[in-house]
């Protein structure tokens, strides 16, 4: 009577492990192009960017943009680094260049009559973030420690020279 149970156990384990796929790096599979408002400086034009990453600039999720008084609405934000400058409408998305581990910090400046946001944003390892997110999702979704362990094993064995660096995928104006 216990024999059918033992034949199901390997299949269950195989299905659980098959669901543990390698996470896709931020930016997905389709090739992105720089946004029209991004102007590369001479330093940013050579070498050419390694990757292009989408960055969303918005108010925190807890604050609806329409609920913010008009005097606090910055219409645009200016982005600048040693490699590029850009202007983005708020809330909005812009495709920015990434130069691997050499991606420079970026200044984000948004100003209106009664609101000012001026911060330097440092680049992050987007590949490492994707693996961390996948491991957390495996625990929450139900693959448990086995799924998280497989993801951690994949993360430790990856070729770190192929990691994608860029700016955080979401920048919240606070």
């Amino acid at each position: 009577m216990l024999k059918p149970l033992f034949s199901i156990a390997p299949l269950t384990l195989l299905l659980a492990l098959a669901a543990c796929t390698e996470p896709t790096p931020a930016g997905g599979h389709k090739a992105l192009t720089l946004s029209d408002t991004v102007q590369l400086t001479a330093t940013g034009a050579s070498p050419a960017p390694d990757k292009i990453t989408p960055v969303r600039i918005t108010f925190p999720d807890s604050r609806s943009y329409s609920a913010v008084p008009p005097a606090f609405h910055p219409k645009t934000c200016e982005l600048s680094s040693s490699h590029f400058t850009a202007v983005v409408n708020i809330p909005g998305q812009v495709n920015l260049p990434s130069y691997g581990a050499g991606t420079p910090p970026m200044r984000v400046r948004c100003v209106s009559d009664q609101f000012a946001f001026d911060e330097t944003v440092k680049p992050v390892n987007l590949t490492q973030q994707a693996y961390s997110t996948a491991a957390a999702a495996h625990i929450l979704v139900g693959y448990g420690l086995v799924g998280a362990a497989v993801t951690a094993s994949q993360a430790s064995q990856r070729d770190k020279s192929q990691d994608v660096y860029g700016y955080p995928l979401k920048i919240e104006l606070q």
Side-chain angles (χ1 to χ4, degrees):
M1 181 136 194
L2 292 177
K3 191 172 185 176
L5 213 63
F6 288 117
S7 62
I8 294 174
L11 179 61
T12 305
L13 180 59
L14 181 63
L15 288 173
L17 291 176
C20 302
T21 59
E22 188 171 328
T24 303
H29 293 291
K30 60 182 177 181
L32 296 175
T33 58
L34 283 177
S35 295
D36 293 338
T37 62
V38 175
Q39 299 296 316
L40 296 178
T41 62
T43 306
S46 68
D50 288 344
K51 300 278 183 192
I52 307 296
T53 55
V55 175
R56 180 138 185 84
I57 300 178
T58 184
F59 283 103
D61 293 335
S62 61
R63 281 176 43 192
S64 169
Y65 188 72
S66 61
V68 178
F72 288 88
H73 284 210
K75 291 189 171 128
T76 61
C77 285
E78 297 170 4
L79 313 177
S80 60
S81 79
S82 60
H83 287 55
F84 67 89
T85 60
V87 176
V88 62
N89 293 329
I90 304 304
Q93 181 170 311
V94 62
N95 295 336
L96 296 175
S98 167
Y99 297 89
T103 302
M106 170 181 67
R107 180 180 181 195
V108 179
R109 187 170 184 271
C110 313
V111 179
S112 69
D113 292 342
Q114 297 180 13
F115 177 82
F117 180 88
D118 191 353
E119 286 192 18
T120 300
V121 177
K122 293 182 180 178
V124 295
N125 184 330
L126 297 170
T127 304
Q128 184 178 8
Q129 283 186 348
Y131 276 106
S132 298
T133 302
H138 283 144
I139 290 174
L140 293 174
V141 170
Y143 299 125
L145 295 177
V146 173
V150 169
T151 302
S153 173
Q154 289 174 340
S156 68
Q157 295 175 10
R158 76 180 189 274
D159 180 4
K160 292 177 179 62
S161 69
Q162 299 297 315
D163 282 6
V164 175
Y165 290 82
Y167 300 102
L169 300 179
K170 185 175 184 181
I171 297 173
E172 293 183 338
L173 309 175
Q174 298 185 22

